């Protein structure tokens, strides 16, 4: 296998930072930028020592973003042998949060409006502004890219959908991709001839038309198929959901076509885990479960409050990884989250909180301050310490060649 070329770095910065590693560069459209690398230190109540976050960024706004973390986060990732993927359509980046010998490591890959994530059978699937992408890791367990990355996710399958405002994605038992087509208010799958093929739409949506009527957004997979979806309302007129943000949110059972929970505030990220249906009640900042969903008369029961507009939920055992965003007040003002934050004398923040499902407490966290204020989805990548990904538009992808039996040169 050809070794991927290393990006050029500023000599002065390299001398000033002992933790700079050789790295790949990626591009952010429309203005390609060479990666820079920075170290951010954060103090945690759990540790008096600074906690380094090595960040490899291709974002033009990277210098205006600060990363910090709890003292126990790196140990948690190591103990469970996992890394965390998350997306921000605002920054146009796919983030891969892992660890190396120096501490936490954050790799960032420039993509067009990255949204939903799903990891299954070694493949990382992602929805973006006008594409659905499947990334594969061709590295053998003993191989490393640039002596650092133990996984390199390369886009091997790309389906051009056009701008559908695709949100959550899922992988069915037969390997097919299912995604939430928000513009057309339906669940869909890629079509070899067209932008998409509709699989299902809510019973209250009368037509298959490019009008975001109910803001269908979240998808919960179960037993290899789509099980539940979330929507901001039951509206059947264009943009009708915006007038129902406070309490019009619903959870729908795809299999029965029934609304099984209502009265929610902009719900997102439904997931089935350990026999329970979990949902983020985004407009209240609550992670919780829908009790009684099987009866068709479910009730949302909060399990934890997180100080932000919640989107993105992934599980690993008894841990929930919850994505937090700062609310866009010009559109999302007046929600119950505002009052809840005032009562807690707290400000909303952007990042990920790790919630212990046994008691609803936050045990670790990763925080982003500065220019990036909104995340969309979160996914767990098991078995890798320090993953990276290549952008379809990066120059390195033209030279990163692998084939059956190929090998990277592994240092002695």
């Amino acid at each position: 296998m050809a070794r991927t070329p290393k990006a050029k770095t500023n000599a002065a910065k390299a001398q000033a930072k002992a933790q700079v590693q050789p790295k790949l560069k990626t591009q952010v459209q429309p203005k390609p930028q060479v990666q820079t690398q920075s170290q951010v230190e954060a103090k945690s109540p759990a540790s008096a020592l600074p906690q380094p976050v090595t960040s490899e960024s291709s974002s033009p706004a990277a210098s205006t973003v600060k990363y910090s973390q709890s003292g126990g986060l790196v140990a948690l990732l190591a103990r469970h042998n996992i890394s965390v993927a998350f997306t921000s359509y605002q920054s146009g980046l796919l983030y891969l949060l892992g660890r190396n010998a120096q501490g936490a490591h954050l790799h960032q890959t420039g993509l067009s409006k990255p949204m939903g994530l799903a990891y299954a059978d070694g493949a990382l699937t992602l929805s973006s502004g006008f594409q659905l992408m499947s990334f594969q890791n061709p590295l053998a367990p003993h191989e490393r890219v640039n002596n650092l990355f133990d996984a390199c996710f390369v886009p091997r399958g790309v389906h051009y959908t056009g701008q559908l405002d695709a949100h959550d994605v899922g992988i069915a038992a037969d390997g097919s991709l299912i995604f939430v087509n928000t513009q057309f208010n339906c669940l869909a799958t890629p079509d070899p001839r067209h932008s998409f093929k509709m699989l299902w739409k809510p019973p209250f949506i009368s037509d298959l038309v490019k009008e975001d009527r109910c803001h269908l957004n979240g998808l919960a997979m179960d037993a290899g198929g789509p099980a539940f979806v979330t929507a901001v309302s039951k509206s059947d007129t264009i943009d009708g959901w915006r007038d129902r943000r406070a309490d019009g949110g619903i959870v729908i059972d795809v299999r029965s076509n029934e609304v099984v929970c209502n009265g929610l505030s902009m719900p997102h990220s439904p997931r089935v885990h350990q026999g329970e249906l979990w949902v983020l009640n985004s407009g209240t900042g609550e992670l919780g479960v829908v009790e009684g969903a099987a009866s068709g008369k479910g009730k949302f029961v909060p399990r934890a409050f997180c100080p932000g507009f919640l989107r993105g939920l992934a599980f690993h055992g008894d841990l929930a990884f919850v994505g937090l965003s700062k609310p866009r007040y010009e559109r999302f003002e007046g929600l119950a989250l505002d009052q809840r934050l005032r009562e807690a004398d707290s400000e909303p923040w952007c990042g990920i909180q790790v919630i212990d499902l046994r008691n609803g407490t936050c045990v670790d966290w990763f925080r982003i301050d500065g220019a990036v204020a909104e995340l969309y989805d979160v996914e767990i990548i098991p078995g890798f310490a320090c993953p990276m990904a290549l952008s379809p538009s990066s120059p390195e992808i033209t030279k990163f060649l692998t084939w059956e039996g190929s090998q990277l040169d592994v240092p002695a």
Side-chain angles (χ1 to χ4, degrees):
M1 179 193 302
R3 183 182 293 276
T4 307
K6 301 174 183 177
K8 296 180 181 179
T9 57
N10 183 285
K13 290 185 178 180
Q15 293 176 0
K17 297 178 181 180
Q19 287 191 335
V20 170
Q21 302 281 348
K23 53 191 179 293
L24 295 165
K25 65 181 180 179
T26 60
Q27 289 184 318
V28 173
Q29 300 299 322
K31 296 180 180 180
Q33 300 286 331
V34 176
Q35 278 186 337
T36 60
Q37 190 171 34
S38 61
Q39 177 179 329
V40 181
E41 293 185 347
K43 292 185 177 180
S44 164
S47 173
L49 298 175
Q51 303 300 313
V53 179
T54 303
S55 170
E56 299 201 20
S57 174
S58 57
S59 170
S63 60
T64 63
V65 179
K66 178 181 177 181
Y67 306 101
S68 57
Q69 67 179 66
S70 61
L73 181 61
V74 172
L76 181 146
L77 296 178
R79 186 165 61 251
H80 294 278
N81 192 24
I82 59 174
S83 54
V84 182
F86 58 98
T87 57
S88 170
Y89 53 82
Q90 182 192 31
S91 66
L93 292 172
L94 164 65
Y95 300 87
L96 292 171
L97 175 62
R99 67 194 188 279
N100 58 21
Q102 286 74 44
H105 187 282
L106 185 68
H107 188 273
Q108 306 173 36
T109 303
L111 297 168
S112 174
K113 193 184 177 183
M115 295 284 284
L117 290 168
Y119 184 78
D121 298 325
L124 180 64
T125 301
L126 179 144
S127 63
S128 70
F130 56 94
Q131 299 167 312
L132 298 168
M133 289 180 279
S134 176
F135 292 76
Q136 296 281 348
N137 169 42
L139 301 188
H142 67 284
E143 292 180 323
R144 300 292 182 271
V145 170
N146 292 345
N147 301 325
L148 175 62
F149 301 102
D150 57 350
C152 180
F153 288 99
V154 183
R156 296 302 191 197
V158 180
H159 180 78
Y160 291 89
T161 61
Q163 295 180 344
L164 300 178
D165 197 18
H167 278 57
D168 281 13
V169 294
I171 304 299
D174 62 1
S176 61
L177 192 160
I178 300 172
F179 67 98
V180 178
N181 184 341
T182 302
Q183 281 289 346
F184 283 82
N185 312 283
C186 69
L187 292 182
T189 192
D191 185 277
R193 182 178 180 184
H194 301 291
S195 295
F196 67 94
K197 178 182 179 181
M198 189 192 79
L199 297 177
W200 173 90
K201 66 180 179 65
F204 52 81
I205 295 295
S206 56
D207 301 298
L208 184 65
V209 60
K210 188 177 179 293
E211 295 179 354
D212 181 3
R213 298 179 174 186
C214 63
H215 204 65
L216 196 70
N217 54 59
L219 169 63
M221 301 290 289
D222 188 34
F228 299 95
V229 295
T230 49
V232 176
S233 74
K234 294 190 291 183
S235 305
D236 194 27
T237 58
I238 186 170
D239 228 25
W241 62 272
R242 293 192 188 275
D243 298 321
R244 301 290 184 266
R245 296 167 299 152
D247 58 5
I250 58 174
V251 180
I252 310 171
D253 187 327
V254 174
R255 296 160 294 194
S256 68
N257 263 358
E258 294 182 353
V259 173
V260 296
C261 186
N262 52 37
L264 302 174
S265 179
M266 303 192 71
H268 283 78
S269 309
R271 306 287 187 260
V272 176
H273 180 65
Q274 295 181 344
E276 294 186 288
L277 172 57
W278 294 80
V279 175
L280 297 179
N281 200 18
S282 307
T284 65
E286 294 172 321
L287 162 69
V289 297
V290 177
E291 295 184 349
S295 69
K297 298 179 180 179
K299 177 183 178 183
F300 178 77
V301 179
R303 295 283 180 87
F305 172 74
C306 303
F309 187 84
L310 308 185
R311 284 177 304 192
L313 176 61
F315 294 94
H316 185 78
D318 289 325
L319 299 175
F321 292 72
V322 182
L324 291 79
S325 297
K326 295 181 180 180
R328 286 176 284 167
Y329 288 109
E330 67 274 13
R331 286 189 175 185
F332 297 156
E333 61 186 350
L335 301 178
L337 175 61
D338 298 346
Q339 181 61 32
R340 187 71 183 267
L341 289 169
R342 284 193 293 268
E343 291 172 354
D345 193 22
S346 299
E347 295 295 325
W349 56 276
C350 175
I352 296 172
Q353 288 195 352
V354 185
I355 305 298
D356 189 330
L357 301 181
R358 295 168 295 186
N359 51 34
T361 61
C362 176
V363 294
D364 279 299
W365 49 266
F366 182 82
R367 180 164 175 162
I368 305 174
D369 290 292
V372 178
E374 297 184 40
L375 306 183
Y376 182 73
D377 208 359
V378 179
E379 183 61 294
I380 301 299
I381 309 296
F384 297 109
C386 192
M388 62 165 290
L390 288 177
S391 168
S393 60
S394 67
E396 286 77 16
I397 203 168
T398 65
K399 300 178 181 180
F400 191 85
L401 305 177
T402 66
W403 59 95
E404 190 69 31
S406 61
Q407 295 185 42
L408 279 176
D409 293 330
V410 181

